[in-house]
Amino acid sequence: MRSFDDTDDAWRLLANCLEQNPDLFFPERGASTKEAKAVCQGCEVRGDCLEYALANGEKFGIWGGLSDRERRRILRQRALARAAQAVQEKVMSSI
């Protein structure tokens, strides 16, 4: 997995959203995200966008085709997977 920071943004030049109105990706609370997610659907840098948002704690908007709630779910799943891996490694090292 790539590591992202604020200076690593070359992927953005290839994004489908580059020439879209940014407001589309930051809908009002309760508004539909369907149109923004549709723009992301076929984007070749969707994964890069998502990883950037996850690495930088983006709390608002659609990034990589996912809402904040969906991104938080991924972060929880990854944290659980890391914890399970750590437990497994500890068990294996004690054998």
Side-chain angles (χ1 to χ4, degrees), residues 49-58 71-72 74-75 78:
C49 180
L50 176 58
E51 290 304 323
Y52 176 87
L54 295 172
N56 290 285
E58 291 291 345
R71 293 191 305 275
R72 285 193 314 262
I74 288 173
L75 290 173
R78 287 181 181 182

Side-chain angles (χ1 to χ4, degrees), residues 25-26 33 37 40 46 49-79:
F25 299 93
F26 296 91
T33 60
K37 289 180 175 186
C40 299
R46 181 178 178 184
C49 180
L50 176 58
E51 290 304 323
Y52 176 87
L54 295 172
N56 290 285
E58 291 291 345
K59 290 184 172 46
F60 304 101
I62 304 300
W63 290 81
L66 300 180
S67 67
D68 178 50
R69 180 179 297 149
E70 293 164 322
R71 293 191 305 275
R72 285 193 314 262
R73 185 179 323 125
I74 288 173
L75 290 173
R76 281 192 303 274
Q77 289 169 343
R78 287 181 181 182

Side-chain angles (χ1 to χ4, degrees), residues 30-46:
S32 175
T33 60
K34 190 183 292 188
E35 193 176 343
K37 289 180 175 186
V39 172
C40 299
Q41 189 62 37
C43 184
E44 67 181 273
V45 294
R46 181 178 178 184

